[in-house]
Amino acid sequence: MARDKIALIGSGQIGGTLAHLIGLKELGDVVMFDIAEGVPQGKALDIAQSSPVDGFDAHYTGANSYEALDNAKVCIVTAGVPRKPGMSRDDLLSINLKVMEQVGAGIKKYAPDAFVICITNPLDAMVWALQKASGLPHRKVVGMAGVLDSARFRYFLADEFNVSVEDVTAFVLGGHGDTMVPLVKYSTVAGIPLPDLVKMGWTSQARLDEIVDRTRNGGAEIVNLLKTGSAFYAPAASAIAMAESYLRDKKRVLPSAAYLNGEYGVKDMYVGVPVVIGAKGVERVVEIELAGKDREAFDKSVGAVQGLVDACKKIAPDLL
Ligand code: A3D
């Protein structure tokens, strides 16, 4: 059986890490695309040269032309400009919107059957724009943010409790950004919800609040440390989990920026919710009941995403 072709649109920090992980996991052959000449070619060659050492078989190419996307089964989009210190994700909007228009047109022409994972920020608005620009079915275009946000939450919790990250599950809803909604009562250690762990004396409510806060600002914490860019190892690992669930029809339940058409009371918007990802793309949106403070926080987050989408509509009315 021929190997699947995975196209990475954007070959910067995340793109390079994605390419390496795809090889290590033997998920398929890799095409790295970028507007920067030589960068995708150089990274592709470098990673290919690591394959004999690590013992994986994958074909790597680098390209500056969209033709290279031809027949890709998965496209992962990181093209654009990352956040610099002091810059909010929203500042990126107008630059990256133009990039999404170009990328969407390229995918439409050369890889219309692909499963597309968008990572470019501001995520929820960019994945919305990318779907519009590509015209692909909504179930085939998703955004990566929730897997990363919940991974951060899981890591902080595992560290707090001194238990394995494998036994910590976390539930995060809403847009990617400061308004994201980590749902404490659906987050567990080996099935024990966090509020019960507070009662059991494993941690205090105040510590838990601090961890939730740190999770919300997880991206900014790394931007401030790196100074020259944003996180890339964990974002790449998160997108790979989504791609793998699609390629291997694993039907994992993963928090993703998914198109909502009435679910959670939201229409024509991409917002972070748990979804089942399998061979058909987004096969199901998991809709839980939200009430009280959780509903309020979710609505606030949706409002923030709506603001970004409205700004996109103003900048590029012909996208609609
Ligand atoms: P970076 O290393 O700058 O890579 C971006 C690449 O895109 C560069 O190689 C550029 O040359 C390339 N590029 C720019 N314009 C185009 C274009 N028109 N067509 C093709 N390629 C182009 O950034 P990065 O890899 O660190 O981050 C990529 C994106 O992911 C940024 O928008 C980040 O803000 C975003 N990001 C999102 C998350 C989420 O959780 C959603 C986390 C981390 C980063």
Side-chain angles (χ1 to χ4, degrees):
M1 203 172 74
R3 289 192 287 257
D4 290 324
K5 176 167 164 180
I6 303 170
L8 306 178
I9 305 171
S11 301
Q13 297 280 56
I14 300 179
T17 312
L18 287 168
H20 196 198
L21 287 173
I22 290 165
L24 292 172
K25 289 182 164 254
E26 291 199 319
L27 288 181
D29 290 337
V30 178
V31 170
M32 302 186 72
F33 169 90
D34 204 287
I35 45 166
E37 282 177 22
V39 171
Q41 291 85 352
K43 288 196 180 183
L45 187 58
D46 187 13
I47 296 168
Q49 289 169 356
S50 78
S51 65
V53 183
D54 279 316
F56 62 82
D57 290 300
H59 189 248
Y60 281 81
T61 41
N64 303 111
S65 147
Y66 276 104
E67 280 164 40
L69 269 54
D70 193 33
N71 270 325
K73 188 126 194 238
V74 171
C75 294
I76 308 182
V77 179
T78 58
V81 177
R83 243 188 335 162
K84 304 263 160 53
M87 203 187 197
S88 78
R89 287 189 184 90
D90 308 359
D91 294 335
L92 297 175
L93 187 108
S94 49
I95 304 170
N96 286 351
L97 181 58
K98 288 198 185 72
V99 177
M100 291 306 104
E101 288 191 80
Q102 293 163 13
V103 173
I107 292 174
K108 183 181 197 163
K109 187 159 181 198
Y110 294 106
D113 297 322
F115 180 59
V116 178
I117 302 169
C118 180
I119 307 183
T120 303
N121 268 323
L123 192 268
D124 307 274
M126 291 303 104
V127 63
W128 176 89
L130 185 62
Q131 188 281 323
K132 295 271 183 217
S134 67
L136 265 59
H138 293 114
R139 67 184 160 79
K140 298 295 280 295
V141 183
V142 286
M144 186 296 295
V147 177
L148 172 65
D149 294 332
S150 65
R152 286 179 173 150
F153 196 27
R154 288 171 65 194
Y155 168 71
F156 295 146
L157 290 168
D159 199 37
E160 170 73 4
F161 298 135
N162 197 21
V163 298
S164 166
V165 287
E166 285 186 58
D167 297 318
V168 181
T169 64
F171 197 108
V172 175
L173 277 178
H176 182 55
D178 313 343
T179 61
M180 80 173 81
V181 188
L183 283 191
V184 165
K185 69 178 171 208
Y186 289 123
S187 304
T188 75
V189 172
I192 308 166
L194 295 182
D196 289 11
L197 290 166
V198 173
K199 281 187 206 146
M200 288 155 62
W202 278 42
T203 188
S204 64
Q205 188 58 48
R207 267 301 290 154
L208 202 52
D209 291 346
E210 273 170 32
I211 291 172
V212 166
D213 217 46
R214 191 173 176 200
T215 303
R216 279 211 185 95
N217 298 305
E221 184 177 355
I222 291 182
V223 168
N224 289 333
L225 288 166
L226 293 180
K227 295 191 176 68
T228 53
S230 52
F232 54 99
Y233 293 111
S238 303
I240 291 295
M242 296 168 73
E244 193 174 8
S245 192
Y246 172 75
L247 288 167
R248 307 223 156 122
D249 194 23
K250 281 170 74 86
K251 302 192 194 297
R252 290 198 60 197
V253 182
L254 296 170
S256 311
Y259 184 77
L260 299 185
N261 190 23
E263 299 92 343
Y264 288 93
V266 176
K267 267 204 166 244
D268 190 32
M269 250 164 74
Y270 274 84
V271 180
V273 291
V275 297
V276 176
I277 296 181
K280 295 191 184 84
V282 173
E283 298 187 348
R284 178 181 212 170
V285 171
V286 181
E287 195 175 2
I288 58 154
E289 210 156 284
L290 281 176
K293 275 196 175 149
D294 293 340
R295 179 83 237 177
E296 252 172 55
F298 181 77
D299 289 347
K300 189 176 162 208
S301 186
V302 169
V305 177
Q306 182 71 62
L308 294 173
V309 169
D310 289 347
C312 289
K313 287 180 183 171
K314 244 188 224 160
I315 299 167
D318 42 331
L319 247 191
L320 299 170

